[in-house]
Every structure is written in C-alpha cells, then in structure tokens.
Amino acid sequence: MPSTLKSLVQSRHPLISIETRDEEHAIELVREIAKELSRPLFEWSMTAGMRQLDKKGTWQSVAMQTGKTLKVFTPIAGSDEEPEGSKTKLIKKAVDALTVVVEVSNSAMYVFKDLGPHAKDAHVQRLLRDAASLPETRRSTVILVDSGSLPDDVRQLAVPYDIGWPSLEELEQVVKQTFSRIRKDSLQEITSTLTRREMDHLVQTLRGLTRTEAERVVASVIFQDFSLSGEDLPAVLDAKRSLLGSAGSLESIAIDFTIEDVGGFENLKAWLRQRRGGFSKKAREFGLVPPRGILMLGVPGCGKSLCAKAVAADWGMPLLRLDPGVLYNKFIGESERQMRDALAQAEAMAPVILWIDEIEKAFASASGGSADGGLSKRMFGSLLSWMQDHRHPIFLVATANDISALPPELMRKGRFDEVFFVDLPTSEARMNILSIHLVRRERDPAQFDLVQLAEASNGFNGAELEQAILGAMYGAYQEGCQLEDRHIVEEMSKTRPLSVLMSERITELRDWACDRCVSAD
Ligand code: ATP
C-alpha cells in the first residue's frame, strides 16, 4: 500500500517533496495533518516570509530574536512590517527560514512553497542537507511544495509524495461546493438545472484539472449567466482547453469536423466503427478487451492527422496531442519527468484519444546509436512500458511518415491493435476528397466532372487536392467568373505532386508496408 502523507510525517521523514500544480490542495492536506498530529505548522514563501499557523487558523508572521528563539507576533494592522523599535527581525529569506529549521528543535512541520529556484544556492542546499540529517530526536518535518522547479540534487534528498489528481467524486464535490459558495455570496439569484447525466458529463470534462483549476472553471461559467446548466458544458471544455494549452506538453485539440469530412480510408473507418463503444461498461461485461491504439504510417499529406481528429469526433472523446518535441529539456532528468507527467495527465483525463504526431521525429534516435546520451532511448522505453501497462481508457493514435527511423520494438505485436498504411488516395477516394473540399467552400460537387478531375490528379495526396481547389478559386475570382472544372484542371497541371518528387521513397515505403501493415483504404 502506498504511504500516505500522514504516515510519512509520523515516521519522521525529515524532507518530503510534493511536486504539484495544486499548491492550495497540498497546503490544505498538510494543515489537516498538522492538526491531527498536534504539530506546530510553519510556512515559508518568498513573498510572505515565514509564518506560523495560530490556534484560530490564521497565519502569523514569525520573527527571529537571537537567531535561535522564535517569536511569533501578530502583524500590525494586517501588515507584515516589524513593529517599530523592535529588536526582532522577520524571517524573509529562505536561508534564514532553513536556519530556523536546523537550529530550533520543536518537532514542527515546515512547508516551503516554491523553494526550487532558491535551492540552486549552495547555502540553501547545505541547510537542506543538514535538516535531512538531523538526529531523529531533533527532527522536524520539512515539506517542499513545488510546481516542478526543484533541482535534482534536492529532489534526491527528499521523499517524494504524489498528491494525485482529484477523483470523479472529489470533482463533483468541487462543483457542488463552488456552486453553494457562489450562491451564498452573490447578490444575484444563482440557479442550477444540471441533470444527473449533465453532472456526470461535467465532472468527466473537469478531469485532468487540479481542484483549484476545476473550481475556477466552474465559477467562471456560473458567473457568465448566473446559472449552471447543461449548456455550460462547451464553455467548460473551452476553459479547460485554454488552461491546459498553457501548461505542460499536452495540448487539447478542438474537433470541428466529423469522420464524413475525411475522404477515403474505408478500411480504417470500418475498423473504427466496429470499435466505437469499446470502452463502455457493456463492452467490458461482454468480455471485450478495450482498444489500445493504432499506428498510422504513410505518405505525407494524405490525412493521417485528420484521422486522429476524426477518431475523436466519431467516438465522442476529447483529443489530446502529445508533442514529444516539447518534452525534451536541457536539464538532466527533466525530459523523462515531463513525459511521465504528460502520461499521468492523460490518464487523469481519460477517456481520451491521445495523439502522438510524427512519432519517429521524437524517438528516431532510439533506434540507432543516439547522440543524446540515450535520452530518447529511455523516453521511448517509458512510452513502451506505459503502452503495455496502463489500464486507462486511452486510445493512442500515433502517426509516422518514416517507419524505418523507428525502433522495431514499437511494431511488436500487442503494442498497437493495428498498423495502418495510408497510401495515396485511389481514384474513388480522390473524387470523395474533392467533393468534401468543394462542399467546404460552398460549391455543389454535382456541378463538377469529378471523374475527369480525379483522372487529372492521379498521384495527388489529399493536401494537394485541397490546394488545387484553393488555387483554382483564386483563378476564377481573378477572371471574375464562377469556379469551373477548367480552373481546377489547370491548377492541377501546374502542380508537381510529392509522389513524383519523392517517388523512390514512396515506393520504398509501400514495399516495406505491403506485408507488415493493413491498408487504411
Ligand atoms: P503530414 O504527414 O504532412 O502531417 P498528414 O498525412 O498528417 O500529413 P494532414 O495534415 O492530415 O495529412 O492533411 C493535410 C490537409 O489535407 C488536411 O487538413 C485536409 O484539409 C487535407 N486532406 C488530406 N487528406 C485528406 C482526406 N483524406 N480527406 C479530406 N481532406 C484531406
């Protein structure tokens, strides 16, 4: 059984680190434990200096007299100024606060908020080591609450404690408490028309946010129209998207189309249709193994990325993109930590579609003698074991243009449910893609000779077909007439498709894929 924070404190671990974005919740936990164990609680932050929690539950500034005596006093009129004429000195600096920890024996709990940037200082590091090696009888507990900036040396000194992500029940509590608090404080009448299903949906949508973030998102949608209803769900999703967009290496992607907007891919579409609902309780009860993921390998510009979005749209699940490029960090150990965090966050947000675009770019050097000191190999290893072990409803969609650059372990049976090869579109698929893009530009496909256009675009990928229509529209606009077949044919004749420019590579790719992959179309 994993240790609880309380048991770590009780067993007198001198140094505990809690790395989290949810500082408020971490402090709340520590407060509860200090109360339960009747231990004095001190808190240090760069802005407020050192403070002690008094019996009434308010933080009072702490002053030092001779360097060893701690004196607590109430700030005058709410200010943190030292009283005039006083011989005491407020403890503002990290070094002074840690000196108190080392020199005063009071079995207290000390929380340090965001010590990370200060912990690069040699004096601070020395004091932390001293605090960690005090004899047990003199020991206090130092808890470092940090959002991830602790230097590795310090991280290794401390016992890590993971406060985890809020569960669905906790998130529901957050929604209810936020609603009640706003209703109590507001002069305006606040209403809620959330049904049980909408509440479940809302709580699912809040997954992956900290308690504090979830509270803010819920409060912001309530304040928009002084009510909480099913209609707020898109706004909650947007707020979450913007919050996550600014944090970490997972990006939440808006889905603005359906699987019908993707031309071709008949095989893949049928495969996806069959597995839709594979995460449901009913499917589990039937004995189905939930789908784990697909790898899409193929010719550039043929719609692989589009497919990742289409799966999310078709299965009604949020889409998260993991950009492995942003995981790499110049500090040793940081990249692996970021990768673990990203995967943990995806787990917290599950059910989700997790999309890793151009997977070969991130992990390519894992296949050969890498120039990055084995980092990409280790990162790749973590990803593989995660893929194998996780039990969350996460469907992984990985896309790649160049499979030869990928380590062969990725292709081993059991990692992905299927490896699809995305080839250049067939003539029928080209007709389909052309009509999709004509409709998107408010043109009626029936007015065009799609058979002729498909013939004129042999060897084109989806992106080039779209470009041909866009270019043709400019031509028609310049002539001052409606878009016609001839404009599109002319634009096509001017295009040198990638399949010509890269013909050798595409042949190679096809040869490689023919007996290893399933055709997407
Ligand atoms: P890359 O490997 O270069 O990232 P890709 O295979 O992921 O390419 P997309 O980025 O999905 O290709 O495609 C680029 C654009 O081309 C899409 O946004 C879409 O507008 C159009 N497109 C490509 N394939 C299709 C298709 N099958 N159906 C409809 N549109 C397509």
Side-chain angles (χ1 to χ4, degrees):
M1 211 180 106
S3 316
T4 61
L5 183 58
K6 188 173 162 190
S7 67
L8 289 178
V9 174
Q10 276 176 313
S11 53
R12 302 247 163 188
H13 275 289
L15 206 54
I16 300 169
S17 67
I18 304 179
E19 295 198 49
T20 177
R21 296 205 324 262
D22 204 349
E23 181 183 275
E24 277 177 51
H25 181 62
I27 304 287
E28 215 176 276
L29 268 182
V30 174
R31 277 179 76 146
E32 275 168 26
I33 294 168
K35 197 169 162 203
E36 280 175 39
L37 301 178
S38 307
R39 307 259 303 257
L41 178 61
F42 293 82
E43 178 193 89
W44 176 88
S45 73
M46 189 186 164
T47 42
M50 194 174 223
R51 301 183 302 172
Q52 182 177 11
L53 195 68
D54 70 10
K55 290 209 169 63
K56 288 190 215 128
T58 27
W59 292 105
Q60 307 290 2
S61 294
V62 172
M64 206 162 29
Q65 256 173 343
T66 60
K68 295 201 184 181
T69 319
L70 274 185
K71 189 178 170 198
V72 179
F73 67 88
T74 317
I76 303 159
S79 95
D80 275 347
E81 294 298 313
E82 282 151 31
E84 229 166 289
S86 160
K87 293 204 182 97
T88 58
K89 180 172 158 259
L90 287 178
I91 304 166
K92 288 282 189 188
K93 290 191 182 141
V95 164
D96 292 336
L98 283 165
T99 307
V100 168
V101 175
V102 173
E103 298 196 352
V104 178
S105 138
N106 55 358
S107 292
M109 289 167 64
Y110 293 93
V111 180
F112 281 78
K113 290 178 6 188
D114 288 327
L115 188 71
H118 307 264
K120 295 190 178 97
D121 175 76
H123 198 167
V124 170
Q125 282 204 13
R126 182 64 258 167
L127 284 162
L128 281 170
R129 271 177 218 287
D130 291 346
S133 55
L134 283 173
E136 209 168 296
T137 45
R138 283 209 40 216
R139 251 179 219 171
S140 293
T141 307
V142 175
I143 302 168
L144 307 174
V145 178
D146 201 281
S147 56
S149 60
L150 287 175
D152 275 350
D153 294 0
V154 173
R155 202 174 281 135
Q156 278 157 16
L157 278 179
V159 182
Y161 180 74
D162 183 6
I163 60 169
W165 294 90
S167 64
L168 292 178
E169 291 73 30
E170 284 174 286
L171 285 170
E172 184 164 339
Q173 269 312 100
V174 169
V175 174
K176 287 180 177 159
Q177 282 165 0
T178 310
F179 180 79
S180 310
R181 177 176 55 78
I182 295 177
R183 189 155 64 172
K184 195 166 138 254
D185 296 347
S186 170
L187 298 175
Q188 195 114 3
E189 195 194 347
I190 310 279
T191 55
S192 166
T193 56
L194 273 190
T195 61
R196 182 64 249 171
R197 254 190 92 227
E198 286 164 345
M199 172 63 104
D200 290 344
H201 201 146
L202 171 64
V203 167
Q204 279 287 357
T205 311
L206 292 170
R207 285 186 78 149
L209 297 182
T210 64
R211 293 151 190 88
T212 317
E213 286 166 345
E215 191 181 320
R216 275 189 212 132
V217 167
V218 172
S220 76
V221 297
I222 295 178
F223 279 123
Q224 265 167 28
D225 53 1
F226 298 99
S227 81
L228 187 60
S229 70
E231 283 168 23
D232 288 325
L233 287 170
V236 172
L237 198 62
D238 273 351
K240 173 172 160 180
R241 192 170 289 137
S242 58
L243 255 176
L244 290 179
S246 57
S249 25
L250 279 187
E251 185 192 358
S252 173
I253 308 277
I255 316 279
D256 44 11
F257 62 90
T258 69
I259 200 144
E260 275 73 45
D261 293 322
V262 186
F265 296 111
E266 296 311 323
N267 245 343
L268 175 69
K269 285 179 185 169
W271 192 95
L272 292 171
R273 249 194 321 272
Q274 207 175 43
R275 278 147 187 91
R276 191 194 286 152
F279 290 116
S280 66
K281 199 166 154 228
K282 206 166 148 202
R284 229 183 14 253
E285 283 165 3
F286 190 78
L288 293 184
V289 178
R292 297 184 77 73
I294 51 174
L295 172 63
M296 284 197 293
L297 155 73
V299 179
C302 283
K304 294 185 297 297
S305 315
L306 210 59
C307 276
K309 297 179 195 166
V311 184
D314 196 48
W315 289 7
M317 285 159 76
L319 177 66
L320 294 178
R321 181 166 60 187
L322 171 67
D323 182 349
V326 308
L327 294 176
Y328 287 89
N329 191 296
K330 61 181 190 285
F331 296 110
I332 300 170
E334 265 304 285
S335 309
E336 285 137 303
R337 197 182 63 78
Q338 272 174 215
M339 170 107 156
R340 276 196 308 277
D341 282 359
L343 295 176
Q345 195 176 37
E347 289 175 356
M349 291 178 76
V352 286
I353 308 288
L354 180 62
W355 167 30
I356 308 185
D357 200 14
E358 307 200 339
I359 192 171
E360 77 275 28
K361 291 216 173 119
F363 302 114
S365 48
S367 66
S370 72
D372 58 9
L375 175 62
S376 56
K377 209 171 201 134
R378 288 198 305 276
M379 303 262 287
F380 186 68
S382 322
L383 178 72
L384 287 186
S385 37
W386 177 82
M387 278 171 70
Q388 192 101 355
D389 300 337
H390 82 85
R391 291 284 169 268
H392 298 265
I394 297 176
F395 188 73
L396 183 69
V397 178
T399 57
N401 289 331
D402 180 7
I403 207 90
S404 65
L406 274 174
E409 303 93 283
L410 191 69
M411 303 290 291
R412 201 176 293 153
K413 268 270 164 248
R415 303 266 192 230
F416 290 104
D417 297 322
E418 204 60 270
V419 181
F420 284 100
F421 179 62
V422 180
D423 206 342
L424 290 167
T426 60
S427 149
E428 202 174 317
R430 289 200 296 281
M431 286 166 52
N432 199 340
I433 296 171
L434 286 165
S435 5
I436 288 169
H437 288 287
L438 284 168
V439 170
R440 248 196 228 171
R441 272 106 208 157
E442 288 166 24
R443 299 299 192 279
D444 178 8
Q447 304 297 315
F448 295 83
D449 184 349
L450 293 177
V451 176
Q452 183 210 356
L453 293 178
E455 260 167 41
S457 56
N458 193 11
F460 278 43
N461 65 22
E464 287 157 349
L465 291 170
E466 183 181 13
Q467 277 313 312
I469 291 179
L470 290 178
M473 284 183 68
Y474 268 104
Y477 181 72
Q478 202 178 24
E479 277 183 28
C481 63
Q482 267 310 323
L483 178 69
E484 292 170 18
D485 288 324
R486 63 186 173 89
H487 297 116
I488 307 179
V489 173
E490 193 190 331
E491 201 57 36
M492 286 172 170
S493 67
K494 287 195 271 178
T495 308
R496 291 258 295 151
L498 218 61
S499 61
V500 173
L501 300 175
M502 297 173 47
S503 71
E504 277 171 21
R505 255 205 59 205
I506 294 177
T507 313
E508 238 174 71
L509 201 63
R510 278 190 187 139
D511 288 347
W512 189 94
C514 79
D515 47 32
R516 292 179 173 93
C517 310
V518 172
S519 168
D521 207 357

